Amino acid sequence: MSGIWGNRLKVSIFGESHGEAIGAVIDGLPPGIKLDLEAVRSQMKRRAPGQGGITTARREEDEFQILSGFFNGYTTGTPLAFIIKNNDTRSSDYEYLKNVPRPGHGDYTGKIKYRGYNDYRGGGHFSGRITAPIVFVGAICRQFLEEKGIYIGSHIKNIGKADDDSFDAVHIDKDLIFKLNVMRLPLIAEEKIKDMESEIMLAKADGDSIGGSVECAVIGLGAGLGEPFFDSVESRLAHILFSIPGVKGVEFGSGFSSVRMRGSEVNDEFYIQDGEIKTKTNHCGGILGGITNGMPIIFRVAIKPTPSIAKNQKSVDMTKMETVDLNIKGRHDPCIVPRAVPVVEAAAAIGIIDFVLEE
Amino acid sequence: MSGIWGNRLKVSIFGESHGEAIGAVIDGLPPGIKLDLEAVRSQMKRRAPGQGGITTARREEDEFQILSGFFNGYTTGTPLAFIIKNNDTRSSDYEYLKNVPRPGHGDYTGKIKYRGYNDYRGGGHFSGRITAPIVFVGAICRQFLEEKGIYIGSHIKNIGKADDDSFDAVHIDKDLIFKLNVMRLPLIAEEKIKDMESEIMLAKADGDSIGGSVECAVIGLGAGLGEPFFDSVESRLAHILFSIPGVKGVEFGSGFSSVRMRGSEVNDEFYIQDGEIKTKTNHCGGILGGITNGMPIIFRVAIKPTPSIAKNQKSVDMTKMETVDLNIKGRHDPCIVPRAVPVVEAAAAIGIIDFVLEE
Amino acid sequence: MSGIWGNRLKVSIFGESHGEAIGAVIDGLPPGIKLDLEAVRSQMKRRAPGQGGITTARREEDEFQILSGFFNGYTTGTPLAFIIKNNDTRSSDYEYLKNVPRPGHGDYTGKIKYRGYNDYRGGGHFSGRITAPIVFVGAICRQFLEEKGIYIGSHIKNIGKADDDSFDAVHIDKDLIFKLNVMRLPLIAEEKIKDMESEIMLAKADGDSIGGSVECAVIGLGAGLGEPFFDSVESRLAHILFSIPGVKGVEFGSGFSSVRMRGSEVNDEFYIQDGEIKTKTNHCGGILGGITNGMPIIFRVAIKPTPSIAKNQKSVDMTKMETVDLNIKGRHDPCIVPRAVPVVEAAAAIGIIDFVLEE
Amino acid sequence: MSGIWGNRLKVSIFGESHGEAIGAVIDGLPPGIKLDLEAVRSQMKRRAPGQGGITTARREEDEFQILSGFFNGYTTGTPLAFIIKNNDTRSSDYEYLKNVPRPGHGDYTGKIKYRGYNDYRGGGHFSGRITAPIVFVGAICRQFLEEKGIYIGSHIKNIGKADDDSFDAVHIDKDLIFKLNVMRLPLIAEEKIKDMESEIMLAKADGDSIGGSVECAVIGLGAGLGEPFFDSVESRLAHILFSIPGVKGVEFGSGFSSVRMRGSEVNDEFYIQDGEIKTKTNHCGGILGGITNGMPIIFRVAIKPTPSIAKNQKSVDMTKMETVDLNIKGRHDPCIVPRAVPVVEAAAAIGIIDFVLEE
């Protein structure tokens, strides 16, 4: 099965890129959460395509419709279901892909797994479009978390050769989070925007695509959330982050850098500040023994370049079983990273809400 | 909850470092698997401490006792439970740690989460010792997988500054796997063993510890295993890999390197060989759209340096709420990476077995 | 949470009686099941209201719309989502019930649990209307089961004082199942139809309602399905049967009669027929040790009288905290049993499909 | 899989009647529960065999050993594992049953499901002995529930023809619960003890066994616990009650009697007493819409006669595929009902604790 996530909060997603509608059912939301649908829409907008030159030309309003679980402005406590209709679809763009899988895409593995019965149009259930419901669910979770003083923000750590600065892992101001939440290309060192855009434009000019990474922070979580072993905060977050199409790596705190470090460098020294126990550094990314220590949670997500590129590629025709040239038509992002930012944040919100509900 | 994993096969682990015993219950094993207990013992031995200078002096036989689910040499199909008694424990070594958490360890977060009721001796349930049951379970799973031609092997990618070569992601020979499975320090470029050992010895000499990474390969898996989204192969594997104490990063295929690459480089070109569809490269690490494509699964795991070091560190006394000097007694590994290798392989086996059982 | 069921097949239901729409997401359906939507519609029709005098006057087409997971006439293997719009709703009928719970109904407990935020109109999420998605899901499961020669049928065992005969627990013919599946009031002794109808009419005439029971049979299941203890066939079936509003009792085989019997009477004697092991009687209802023995599965479900009656009742106003007279307006069934029959069968199908998918 | 139960609290049982040991792992227990092991032992004693003439002569101390999750007299919050060694086993008693299934027992279905690999000695994993761990787990849960003022008690409703009175469903005094908890044959009308015992003795004299039923009450639960549909209190309780070997029926409140009643009789009228909303009757057994209404939860469990009887029976030899005469040796209860009482109460405790932990 592909589509159920969570323990206290269970999310069940569905839909294909060119089907009737996509959406999800959210089970386990507490009753009485006042929902700000405008805030949800603006999160959806961050992920939506058609934001000018650097993203695909496909225009999708992503207008959602809530079917249940929401009454008089509040969550009811019963399952909240919503759908997003698929409007602007050009299936003809994909007909020729039926038997020719795009390299780096789920076309091939999906066809094998589902024995050819899956809806191949536009990638079907494998389409990045299915991340729209995840952003919706995340937006709901974020409103619940923000009531508890928990905020999630991220920035583009890099696109190709262009790097942004890193979070100060020890002190992350709420205002920085708010600021990043509304930037089109969220960056800590704003002057880097030109380098980032040029990396994208150069790839686009070559009919190619480019990868990048996102650094995300969760602030306001108290100490003591999570579990050792199979329900560690890292395990739960990595699980849902790796469900996002295109994600190929996840690291917490110093992550892969710590493989070259000494214990004396990595161990975060404890100290007392205003009667509270804190750590002077945050190499652990706010998680020790699988459990939050009250410092910001920091992680980075590696996103591979979009597989759909205009450039000529070689593939195989699975019916004729012969090699063929592939020239992908349709409208695609040269770089998915900017649109992935709100998806990563939504996944983080969905990933930690169980722990918060457990409290 | 901390200790239940899996869908088709459910594993329930338990135990504290200095308690009566540690162990697990495995539910969902098919009946009729002929178990080679000697093979299980040799896997346990790979993880066991006391293997000479480079690991802790604590000697633990890790002799297991099967209590149920095993009859006349075969699995019965009913829950298989086993225990490993705790013998060589020196709780006195840890008494002084009751209120003084070790930096980088789960002492602090555990005390907060469990409100001081947890067994703090030797790290209690947070101890690396609890990975012994994971190796046992993994050994059982591996015997089942090997019957189906699926093999798991790994090597130490790096320890501190010392690097090994990488797997050839496209062709990994079964014999290489077998060879690595029996090496004390599994390396592809065996001559690197001296650099690796010297990194460990230097850290030990300084009363310090050193981090490293493990690269793991799973070969023999057919195409079509896994799911899009929440049950992607990356999600399930990352989930269980991040349950291993000390793991701070996981990447598949080109992982974090792909964030600087172009789609035209990363997309693995399809071709036909002897009537089978293969890919010329394996940047995706054998997984597309969350589903196996029949190529080797390749992933790397970042392991931070052991937090327990002899060097003087600063910490806090949680009862007196004052800063204190910490000098950790007891016996600890300067580098956990070599002993982590069989744990990573066991976790991989436990992580994929659900998919194989689904078939 | 209220709405997720299953292991191999996961069903996530949603909706309120007077909300936008009701429906469900089905995750885990194998790809390539050819769906006969007409057959689904006829199952929906069996449950639908407005079937003349003996059921409520509320007319609801129960026209469903499939949103995903269904492509070119076959299941895709990805989540199948569907909705049923709510059309003919008279919320005004219920406004006055906002603070006055109907005795025997979920109004009171729902208001407490959801702290007054739940949609109270027409019983909201507690409405029997939410069984429509269950019938839809069951209809899909039944088509899958029938391909494997597994059939489900039931009859009304009693309504008030009027009793039908019982199944011959040892021999149940497929044709009997087919016949019962299309009867408006499914009975083994057809001549009892008048007694049943008069029981209903008498209750209606008194502005009252009447209870009854349904006996259900599942034929064609092989031996060896199910588990001891927590996944016993009885456990799984009872779990889902008790999710149906109004069900207050479930018994298998001789059930409550066996409490007065001797072992020598209840033990079903084994014998061999055409090289197959069978039992001469079927007091166990086809289940021994939680596992199917190849004989028909037989169970009975007790359904209490509909709580919504026209008769004057006493209740309390939960805001004013005072006793009040209650006269329920709106349109209600004097007897829910006939409409419950397809729901019981659907639940049975959903309850056993995991075991069949496990095979 | 057979052995994992629960959401907030997960129980994983294991063991075979004649294996090394039986036991369970309890995951999700809150830290800091002070455990009274004497109270646990007395619960175990209630289920233990060897209580004189009316139960089997097999003497089993059922002495448990806690392996983890318990430290300095309190639960730690990490998984609590315990084992019960199997001592007094006479496997030879069962050798001849290897290929000859006992009618009414799990021998046949177990052999089919596990393809002959299961431990058949003494019923193996299907043995009533595996209910000992359930009683242990229930005893732990009960101590947690009692701290919250929630008590569970039951009485033998009938054995064969001998009936006890019923609970007063509206008023159940805590002292009655305590009294029933310590009676060897818990009865409301104590004078019925002779009739009950004679029913058992008569069956025994005939080398036969006799069935019976248990009525159980849970008091002290507030209103608002449980869920509509798939997590209804009836669903969860029935699920775990039907996991007890020999249980063939479960009904709540008026249960199967309500199938002959009118809505006006069954609907429990609301009224206000000391500012609290109560119901004048309790036909719903304390559950409306799947959710507790604050009245006592009342349910009855039908237990079939023990299948193991001394009387000559017919069965089949599964290897020779021929009919054979069966004379069961070994030591068996003529009536399992008295020993089932603490198991039913334990299951009820395990069944509701998730809802209480959810609060």
Side-chain angles (χ1 to χ4, degrees), chain C residues 1 160 208 230 235 239 260 264, chain D residues 160 208 230 235 239 260 264:
Chain C
M1 289 163 304
D208 211 335
F230 305 130
S235 288
H239 189 136
R260 303 202 181 275
S264 53
Chain D
D208 210 334
F230 305 129
S235 288
H239 189 135
R260 302 200 182 278
S264 54

Side-chain angles (χ1 to χ4, degrees), chain C residues 1-5 11 13 101-106 108-110 112-114 125-127 130-131 134 158-163 199 202-203 206 208-213 223-224 226-232 234-236 238-240 242-243 245 247-253 255-256 258-264 266-272 275-277 283-285 287-289 291-293 300-309 311 313-318 321-323, chain D residues 1-5 11 13 101-106 108-110 112-114 125-127 130-131 134 158-163 199 202-203 206 208-213 223-224 226-232 234-236 238-240 242-243 245 247-253 255-256 258-272 275-277 283-285 287-289 291-293 300-309 311 313-318 321-323:
Chain C
M1 289 163 304
S2 66
I4 311 259
W5 162 269
V11 179
I13 60 168
R102 289 165 292 178
H105 207 291
Y108 171 68
T109 53
I112 298 292
K113 176 179 178 62
Y114 300 114
H125 187 59
F126 292 86
S127 166
I130 312 307
T131 58
I134 290 175
N158 89 290
I159 289 177
K161 295 186 302 293
D163 293 305
E199 282 288 306
L202 285 168
D206 300 349
D208 211 335
S209 64
I210 184 76
S213 63
E227 306 282 347
F229 296 101
F230 305 130
D231 259 340
S232 78
E234 292 110 322
S235 288
R236 300 296 306 282
H239 189 136
I240 192 159
F242 274 115
S243 334
V247 170
K248 298 304 274 187
V250 171
E251 60 178 357
F252 294 85
F256 278 93
S258 53
V259 305
R260 303 202 181 275
M261 294 163 80
R262 289 284 184 91
S264 53
V266 173
N267 289 350
D268 301 304
E269 179 181 319
F270 290 107
Y271 74 106
I272 295 168
E276 272 188 37
I277 295 172
H283 292 289
C284 71
I287 307 163
L288 286 175
I291 298 171
T292 57
N293 68 350
R300 277 166 301 285
V301 175
I303 297 160
K304 72 176 187 178
T306 333
S308 294
I309 56 177
K311 249 186 174 171
Q313 301 181 91
K314 290 245 170 300
S315 183
V316 297
D317 182 312
M318 291 177 70
M321 282 303 275
E322 62 185 29
T323 311
Chain D
M1 288 163 303
S2 65
I4 310 259
W5 162 270
V11 179
I13 61 169
R102 288 165 293 179
H105 206 290
Y108 171 68
T109 54
I112 298 292
K113 176 180 179 60
Y114 300 115
H125 187 58
F126 292 86
S127 166
I130 313 307
T131 57
I134 290 175
N158 89 290
I159 289 177
K161 293 185 304 295
D163 293 304
E199 282 288 306
L202 285 168
D206 299 349
D208 210 334
S209 64
I210 184 75
S213 63
E227 306 283 347
F229 296 101
F230 305 129
D231 258 343
S232 77
E234 292 111 323
S235 288
R236 300 296 306 280
H239 189 135
I240 191 160
F242 274 113
S243 337
V247 170
K248 297 304 274 190
V250 171
E251 61 178 357
F252 294 85
F256 278 93
S258 52
V259 306
R260 302 200 182 278
M261 294 164 79
R262 289 283 186 90
S264 54
E265 302 168 82
V266 172
N267 288 349
D268 301 304
E269 179 182 320
F270 289 108
Y271 74 105
I272 295 169
E276 271 188 37
I277 295 173
H283 292 289
C284 73
I287 308 163
L288 285 175
I291 298 170
T292 58
N293 69 352
R300 275 167 302 284
V301 174
I303 296 159
K304 72 176 186 178
T306 332
S308 293
I309 57 177
K311 249 185 174 168
Q313 299 182 90
K314 291 245 170 297
S315 182
V316 296
D317 182 310
M318 291 175 73
M321 282 304 273
E322 62 186 28
T323 311

Side-chain angles (χ1 to χ4, degrees), chain D residues 203-224:
Chain D
K204 191 181 186 184
D206 299 349
D208 210 334
S209 64
I210 184 75
S213 63
V214 173
E215 184 175 54
C216 184
V218 183
I219 63 171
L221 280 171

Side-chain angles (χ1 to χ4, degrees), chain C residues 13 43 63 84 186-187 229 245 250 297-298 302 304 309 327 331:
Chain C
I13 60 168
Q43 286 295 335
E63 191 46 67
I84 300 164
L187 296 169
F229 296 101
V250 171
I297 289 183
I298 309 270
K304 72 176 187 178
I309 56 177
N327 294 287
R331 304 147 295 176

Side-chain angles (χ1 to χ4, degrees), chain A residues 46 54-55 156 159 184-186 200 335-342:
Chain A
R46 293 176 71 199
I54 64 167
T55 72
I156 297 173
I159 289 177
R184 189 172 58 82
L185 280 188
I200 299 173
C335 181
I336 202 73
V337 179
R339 292 178 59 197
V341 169

Side-chain angles (χ1 to χ4, degrees), chain A residues 35-343:
Chain A
L35 294 187
D36 174 349
L37 298 185
E38 258 329 298
V40 175
R41 276 189 198 90
S42 55
Q43 286 295 333
M44 302 292 281
K45 223 183 177 67
R46 293 176 71 199
R47 191 215 70 90
Q51 294 166 25
I54 64 167
T55 72
T56 156
R58 177 176 177 181
R59 310 209 146 283
E60 197 74 70
E61 275 315 312
D62 283 351
E63 190 47 69
F64 57 81
Q65 181 185 10
I66 297 179
L67 303 179
S68 69
F70 182 64
F71 185 52
N72 296 336
Y74 294 86
T75 56
T76 59
T78 54
L80 188 153
F82 68 93
I83 59 172
I84 300 164
K85 293 245 173 75
N86 288 325
N87 307 315
D88 175 20
T89 57
R90 298 196 202 148
S91 301
S92 54
D93 287 351
Y94 296 93
E95 198 52 44
Y96 75 105
L97 284 176
K98 186 172 177 180
N99 301 313
V100 179
R102 289 165 292 178
H105 207 290
D107 296 342
Y108 171 68
T109 53
K111 195 180 174 73
I112 298 292
K113 176 180 177 62
Y114 300 115
R115 311 199 327 267
Y117 288 103
N118 58 310
D119 180 350
Y120 55 84
R121 298 168 302 164
H125 186 58
F126 292 85
S127 166
R129 173 153 177 73
I130 313 306
T131 57
I134 290 175
V135 171
F136 179 100
V137 176
I140 303 291
C141 294
R142 290 172 82 160
Q143 291 188 26
F144 175 79
L145 293 170
E146 285 167 8
E147 277 179 17
K148 301 188 174 306
I150 301 163
Y151 300 90
I152 300 170
S154 47
H155 67 103
I156 297 173
K157 185 72 187 68
N158 89 289
I159 289 177
K161 293 186 303 295
D163 293 303
D164 187 16
D165 300 345
S166 294
F167 276 121
D168 168 351
V170 177
H171 308 287
I172 297 177
D173 195 77
K174 207 160 62 178
D175 298 339
L176 171 60
I177 299 289
F178 293 155
K179 190 176 149 202
L180 293 170
N181 282 345
V182 295
M183 293 172 75
R184 189 172 58 82
L185 280 188
L187 296 170
I188 290 173
E190 302 185 44
E191 66 279 9
K192 305 288 181 75
I193 189 161
K194 291 196 168 15
D195 314 2
M196 301 263 172
E197 288 182 338
S198 72
E199 282 287 306
I200 299 173
M201 289 315 184
L202 285 168
K204 191 180 186 184
D206 300 348
D208 211 334
S209 65
I210 185 76
S213 63
V214 173
E215 184 175 53
C216 183
V218 183
I219 62 170
L221 279 172
L225 299 181
E227 307 282 348
F229 296 101
F230 305 129
D231 259 342
S232 78
V233 175
E234 292 110 324
S235 288
R236 300 296 307 280
L237 278 172
H239 188 135
I240 191 160
L241 289 166
F242 274 114
S243 333
I244 304 171
V247 170
K248 297 305 274 190
V250 171
E251 60 179 356
F252 294 86
S254 297
F256 277 94
S257 325
S258 52
V259 306
R260 303 202 181 276
M261 293 163 79
R262 289 282 186 91
S264 54
E265 302 168 81
V266 173
N267 288 350
D268 300 304
E269 180 181 318
F270 290 106
Y271 73 105
I272 295 169
Q273 186 184 59
D274 324 325
E276 271 188 36
I277 295 173
K278 304 208 157 160
T279 61
K280 290 196 170 165
T281 52
N282 187 14
H283 293 288
C284 72
I287 307 163
L288 286 175
I291 298 169
T292 59
N293 69 350
M295 301 296 287
I297 290 183
I298 309 270
F299 60 86
R300 275 166 302 283
V301 175
I303 297 160
K304 72 175 186 179
T306 332
S308 294
I309 57 177
K311 249 185 174 168
N312 177 293
Q313 300 181 90
K314 290 244 169 300
S315 182
V316 297
D317 182 310
M318 292 176 71
T319 16
K320 303 200 192 110
M321 281 304 273
E322 62 186 29
T323 310
V324 295
D325 278 282
L326 177 67
N327 293 287
I328 300 174
K329 303 182 201 59
R331 303 146 295 177
H332 301 285
D333 288 322
C335 181
I336 202 73
V337 179
R339 292 178 59 197
V341 169
V343 181

